[in-house]
Structures are given as structure tokens and as C-alpha cells.
Amino acid sequence: PVGALPAHLASASPSGPAGLDRGWGRAALRPGELAPTVQALHAQLASLGFSLPPIDRWIAPLEPFAALPSVLIHGDLHEDQILVADDASLRIVGILDWETARVDHPAWDFNFGEWGHGIWEHRQHFSAFRRRMWATYCRRRGLPCGDASALHIFFSLVEMAWCLGEHDAGRMDAARLRGECAWRLASLGEGE
């Protein structure tokens, strides 16, 4: 398959820019850390008064997702680096700027935080966008897709954890924190 790695790379440890191994998403993808990482976030959100689903609604789809094998990823994919044939077909004909390429979890090719501000105007479509992209990505790389909603659950939780960190650091006020988390919970089919 296109995404298959040679044996000497398949067993390589994930690498990348300094500091990338920190953060909620990275912890959630480490073997054995998914459940406690999600439980801690769930507890933080509950302490803010959000009505949350049973924890298993997040953990169950994320378990097989976190266990996906590493692949060669771009690591900094965004709209300025995707070459499209024409407006009519939207056929992707190339990807530019591979300086952050590495062997890592496939999730990191879907971090919309790398895409700049323009894509966030379409955030109401993130779930559908991720589902369609993920299905094609997995098929082309020979990866088991599993529950296609796992990618959206993962990044929604990553983004809420980031918002909590920004609030704790004094860079996000309580009203914005509540709004950002409420929006992401709604995108997961959850509410206050």
C-alpha cells in the first residue's frame, strides 16, 4: 500500500519538532494513557458544569484509533501546501513542504490547527470534512479506518484540552472557554 513503511521505519519511534511530544493529544495516543487522559479531561469539563456522556462514549472509539500503526506523515499539512488540478475537479495532484515529515500517528496529518485561520470559518463542517478525508487517507494507506468519528472525537477533545490550558494560563477568559467547549461538545452530539 501507498502508506506502508519499510520494516526499518515501521519500528521507528515517532520523531518531530521539539516539544511535539507534549500535550493532551500526544498523551492520549501513548499506549496505556488514553483512558486516564480522557478521564482527566472529562472530569475537568464536568467541573465546569457541562453535561457529558458516559466516558466510554469517547474512550471506546478512541481505543482502536490510538492503536493505529505509525505511518510517514507530512506533519504540517494545510491549504497552502495542497496542489489542486482545477476548481472543477478539486483533484489533488501534489503536496508541498515536507520539512516536518516523520514517522508518527496518522492523526497528526489532520490537525486543523496547522491550517491557519481561514479553515475555522468552516468549523461547522469539521466532522464531515474529517470523516471524508479519513476514509480516503486510510484506504490509500491500507489502514483500518474503524469508527470514522474517532478522528473528530480525538481532535474535539484535543481542542477542548487546549482551551482549558489557555484558560489556566490566563490567555482565555471563562466565557470564551465555555463557548469553545460548548461548541465542540455540540459537534460531538453532546450538550450542556
Side-chain angles (χ1 to χ4, degrees):
V2 173
L5 295 173
H8 69 285
L9 288 178
S11 62
S13 296
S15 60
L20 186 63
D21 198 41
R22 297 184 192 110
W24 190 93
R26 181 60 66 185
L29 294 175
R30 281 192 210 106
E33 293 189 39
L34 173 66
T37 302
V38 173
Q39 288 166 347
L41 178 62
H42 194 272
Q44 284 182 287
L45 293 168
S47 75
L48 294 174
F50 287 105
S51 174
L52 301 173
I55 192 76
D56 194 52
R57 284 237 311 261
W58 293 346
I59 292 176
L62 290 177
E63 285 176 333
F65 176 79
L68 286 171
S70 294
V71 296
L72 179 64
I73 67 165
H74 184 279
D76 184 28
L77 191 62
H78 59 77
E79 69 273 11
D80 292 341
Q81 297 172 351
I82 302 171
L83 299 176
V84 178
D86 55 68
D87 287 343
S89 73
L90 296 178
R91 187 173 53 89
I92 296 173
V93 295
I95 304 291
L96 303 174
D97 187 13
W98 287 84
E99 75 180 44
T100 59
R102 62 191 180 275
V103 175
D104 209 340
H105 193 281
W108 300 119
D109 268 341
F110 293 86
N111 180 4
F112 293 156
E114 296 289 338
W115 287 59
H117 299 290
I119 194 167
W120 292 91
E121 295 173 16
H122 307 285
R123 70 184 194 165
Q124 72 273 19
H125 303 293
F126 279 9
S127 178
F129 190 37
R130 287 173 171 144
R131 188 174 45 254
R132 289 179 186 141
M133 288 173 57
W134 185 244
T136 301
Y137 185 91
C138 289
R139 189 171 48 254
R140 297 285 298 168
R141 289 176 166 262
L143 293 170
C145 264
D147 183 351
S149 68
L151 182 68
H152 185 65
I153 292 168
F154 176 73
F155 275 111
S156 295
L157 299 181
V158 165
E159 292 160 8
M160 286 188 284
W162 179 84
C163 289
L164 287 163
E166 289 295 289
H167 176 263
D168 291 347
R171 293 185 293 264
M172 183 180 292
D173 65 39
R176 181 167 173 222
L177 170 66
R178 286 197 62 74
E180 292 291 334
C181 290
W183 181 87
R184 284 167 178 83
L185 289 167
S187 82
L188 294 172
E190 315 301 343
E192 281 192 70

